[in-house]
């Protein structure tokens, strides 16, 4: 029996949002309605031969909301759906949307750099360590662009100038870890865990 040397077209696998186009994978776009029609025909299951590698150029021209990849070589071949994992994406939401959370971090960072010591919840204290350390690192470098970045983040422009004058001498022998957190008694009323954060 003669075996054909032509490789069979690989099935299309649905992946999450970002797909890189390279020699081993080709990104194509397919309308959502195509998947819906195919699932209805298969009784709720997505077909593995919905789109082949040969049909990729024509499908790439359609307006699409779903990204699929044609995997060449050793890809997923058991019909599974592959999703990208969100490793190292942990972020303290603090019960606020993104814009309010960023404004809160800017305000807390400004007040800590102004007074050197503030009392807040433990979650906010832990979340604000990163921007505070970043502002001090910018002040230690002391370039003009670093000052522009600090002025864009902190609410007090005069504080930025005094910060850039005092920080190089105070933290010249310290590389990171510019804050210290003390746990205190819970807040009266809602029993929220409180902490005092201060500059080292």
């Amino acid at each position: 029996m003669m075996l054909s040397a032509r490789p069979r077209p690989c099935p299309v696998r649905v992946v999450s949002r970002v797909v890189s186009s390279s020699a081993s994978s080709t990104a194509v776009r397919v309308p959502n309605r195509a998947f819906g029609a195919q699932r209805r025909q298969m009784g709720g299951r997505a077909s593995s031969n919905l789109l082949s590698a040969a049909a990729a150029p024509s499908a790439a021209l359609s307006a699409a909301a779903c990204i699929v990849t044609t995997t060449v070589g050793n890809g997923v071949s058991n019909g599974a759906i592959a999703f990208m994992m969100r490793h190292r994406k942990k972020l303290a939401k603090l019960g606020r949307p993104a814009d309010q959370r960023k404004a809160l971090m800017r305000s807390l960072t400004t007040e800590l750099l102004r007074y050197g010591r503030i009392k807040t919840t433990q979650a906010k204290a832990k979340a604000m360590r990163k921007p505070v350390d970043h502002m001090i690192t910018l002040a230690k470098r002391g370039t003009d662009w670093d000052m522009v970045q600090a002025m864009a983040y902190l609410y007090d422009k005069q504080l930025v100038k005094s910060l850039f004058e005092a920080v190089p001498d105070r933290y010249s022998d310290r590389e990171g870890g510019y804050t210290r957190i003390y746990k205190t008694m819970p807040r009266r009323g809602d029993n929220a865990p409180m902490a005092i954060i201060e500059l080292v």
Side-chain angles (χ1 to χ4, degrees):
M1 181 176 66
M2 293 285 294
L3 295 178
S4 175
R6 179 183 299 175
R8 296 177 59 188
C10 299
V12 173
R13 302 287 177 237
V14 180
V15 298
S16 65
R17 312 279 303 202
V18 180
V19 175
S20 62
S21 178
S22 61
S24 62
S25 65
T26 305
V28 295
R29 296 176 178 270
V30 180
N32 276 342
R33 58 181 178 273
F35 284 106
Q38 193 68 16
R39 288 193 189 98
R40 286 192 295 273
Q41 293 176 4
M42 298 296 294
R45 293 181 294 106
S47 174
S48 61
N49 57 0
L50 178 61
L51 186 67
S52 63
S58 61
L61 299 177
S62 62
C66 184
I67 302 177
V68 297
T69 56
T70 303
T71 307
V72 180
N74 298 326
V76 179
S77 59
N78 59 356
I81 299 177
F83 295 97
M84 297 180 68
M85 299 178 130
R86 52 188 307 275
H87 292 301
R88 299 176 66 87
K89 300 294 183 183
K90 184 179 179 180
L91 176 67
K93 299 296 184 66
L94 302 177
R96 290 168 171 80
D99 56 342
Q100 296 179 20
R101 186 169 59 247
K102 291 175 183 176
L104 176 66
M105 288 295 103
R106 291 178 64 187
S107 178
L108 289 174
T109 302
T110 302
E111 296 308 309
L112 178 61
L113 293 176
R114 177 184 287 123
Y115 297 110
R117 178 186 176 101
I118 61 173
K119 183 177 181 180
T120 182
T121 62
Q122 291 183 19
K124 293 174 186 174
K126 292 177 181 179
M128 66 181 294
R129 286 181 299 185
K130 185 175 180 180
V132 169
D133 286 359
H134 182 56
M135 290 299 109
I136 294 178
T137 301
L138 292 178
K140 284 181 67 175
R141 285 204 301 254
T143 64
D144 293 340
W145 176 239
D146 293 329
M147 182 170 285
V148 169
Q149 287 183 297
M151 284 190 173
Y153 190 82
L154 298 177
Y155 286 127
D156 190 348
K157 310 307 178 187
Q158 189 61 38
L159 177 65
V160 174
K161 295 179 181 178
S162 61
L163 183 70
F164 273 65
E165 293 173 359
V167 160
D169 295 333
R170 180 172 177 178
Y171 296 112
S172 59
D173 57 343
R174 180 178 287 269
E175 298 294 333
Y178 305 111
T179 57
R180 182 185 296 117
I181 295 178
Y182 298 104
K183 295 182 180 180
T184 62
M185 297 296 292
R187 183 165 56 194
R188 185 178 180 182
D190 61 353
N191 204 35
M194 301 297 290
I196 294 175
I197 180 170
E198 65 180 12
L199 296 176
V200 176

